[in-house]
Amino acid sequence: MGARDSDGGQQVKKQSLPNLKTKADTITSQYIRQKWADHDGMVKCCTCPTVKHWKEMHCAHYVERTKTATRWLEENLRPACPSCNVYRKEHHKREFTLVMLDAYGRDFVDELNRMARKVCKPSEVRELAEQAITYYTEAVRGL
């Protein structure tokens, strides 16, 4: 059963959770890659010297994106080249850990790893995705 619209009239169908997650992933990725880009749109990989246009980079997750409690957390995300993010996993994880430690310190990285162990209910994932969509949509506008 869907929610009623703001006038209390016709029922409005909720977006499916997979669609919400995709939408949240897309806007979050766009923001992270653009946030770290220079005025020409170029961005450096967080774990190697590669520099490419933000549209050619990935949004890498320190804690893997399957962990929904941290999936859209800004501090968990950095731009990475496709090579590091997809093919050079061991190198990427090692270097990303150093980046995270330098940026946030050991206590925060430990807390991030603790947060990642939380199993989220579908209703919590929906809420996190909706919050990410709202936050990152505004953030992209502000860039």
Side-chain angles (χ1 to χ4, degrees):
M1 185 155 118
R4 299 247 178 228
D5 70 11
S6 59
D7 296 332
Q10 193 173 337
Q11 289 190 351
V12 178
K13 186 177 179 185
K14 278 186 177 180
Q15 264 193 348
S16 72
L17 188 53
N19 284 348
L20 264 180
K21 288 167 67 174
T22 297
K23 190 173 181 181
D25 288 342
T26 300
I27 192 66
T28 300
S29 174
Q30 179 183 345
Y31 171 72
I32 294 300
R33 293 175 294 137
Q34 284 186 290
K35 172 188 172 184
W36 290 91
D38 66 16
H39 64 280
D40 293 322
M42 303 303 285
V43 64
K44 182 187 172 300
C45 176
C46 67
T47 58
C48 83
T50 300
V51 176
K52 292 184 178 192
H53 192 271
W54 72 266
K55 291 182 179 181
E56 297 176 55
M57 298 294 263
H58 287 186
C59 177
H61 296 70
Y62 173 70
V63 173
E64 59 271 18
R65 59 181 277 184
T66 58
K67 308 297 185 182
T68 52
T70 55
R71 183 172 181 150
W72 300 291
L73 186 64
E74 188 171 348
E75 294 84 358
N76 187 46
L77 309 169
R78 291 287 171 102
C81 68
S83 178
C84 285
N85 200 39
V86 176
Y87 303 110
R88 301 175 65 205
K89 286 288 189 187
E90 193 172 309
H91 161 83
H92 180 63
K93 186 64 175 183
R94 183 179 61 247
E95 295 300 316
F96 207 161
T97 299
L98 296 174
V99 167
M100 295 295 287
L101 290 170
D102 286 347
Y104 303 111
R106 178 66 185 254
D107 289 343
F108 180 81
V109 171
D110 288 344
E111 178 60 24
L112 200 57
N113 287 315
R114 274 191 293 280
M115 289 171 63
R117 291 192 289 273
K118 179 183 185 327
V119 177
C120 294
K121 298 175 192 171
S123 62
E124 293 172 312
V125 176
R126 176 176 290 281
E127 185 177 345
L128 289 169
E130 289 171 344
Q131 289 172 352
I133 292 165
T134 300
Y135 175 80
Y136 289 112
T137 298
E138 258 324 290
V140 165
R141 287 186 189 126
L143 292 176

